[in-house]
Amino acid sequence: MIANFNGIFYLVVFLLVMSINAFYAYNTLFNTKNFISKYGVDMTAAFFARFVGAFIFAVVLMQLYILFRGTVATWAFFNFMFVAVSYTHLTLPTSD
């Protein structure tokens, strides 16, 4: 498994990102009420929180697949995640 990720460092980074994604997916899918109320958002936004959670859950499933099957031919997944995260960070509103 370590050889698939080209060393222990990249495996640890991958596991860290996967665990953060799993935590976020759990909170948005199964703990939606507490997750939304933590940010002061009305429960009418639960559908959209769960929608985003479903996307992140699919990412976690793909990460589990990559973890056990190896990183061969998964460049499209990593490129897509890089573009999605970059777009998210570039379009976030800045606070004054």
Side-chain angles (χ1 to χ4, degrees):
M1 188 178 297
I2 294 173
N4 288 336
F5 286 91
N6 200 19
I8 189 75
F9 176 75
Y10 293 118
L11 176 62
V12 169
V13 169
F14 184 82
L15 290 173
L16 180 68
V17 169
M18 188 176 70
S19 63
I20 291 169
N21 284 342
F23 178 75
Y24 182 74
Y26 172 79
N27 278 329
T28 55
L29 287 174
F30 303 113
N31 197 14
T32 310
K33 186 176 182 179
N34 293 336
F35 181 76
I36 289 175
S37 65
K38 180 171 61 172
Y39 296 105
V41 178
D42 189 52
M43 271 303 290
T44 56
F47 171 78
F48 296 106
R50 289 183 179 136
F51 182 78
V52 171
F55 172 76
I56 299 300
F57 183 69
V59 168
V60 170
L61 290 178
M62 186 65 189
Q63 287 173 327
L64 283 171
Y65 177 81
I66 291 171
L67 181 66
F68 293 112
R69 296 286 295 192
T71 58
V72 175
T74 58
W75 62 270
F77 172 76
F78 288 108
N79 285 340
F80 173 73
M81 292 310 301
F82 175 76
V83 169
V85 170
S86 298
Y87 177 77
T88 302
H89 287 290
L90 290 175
T91 58
L92 284 175
T94 57
S95 59
D96 294 326

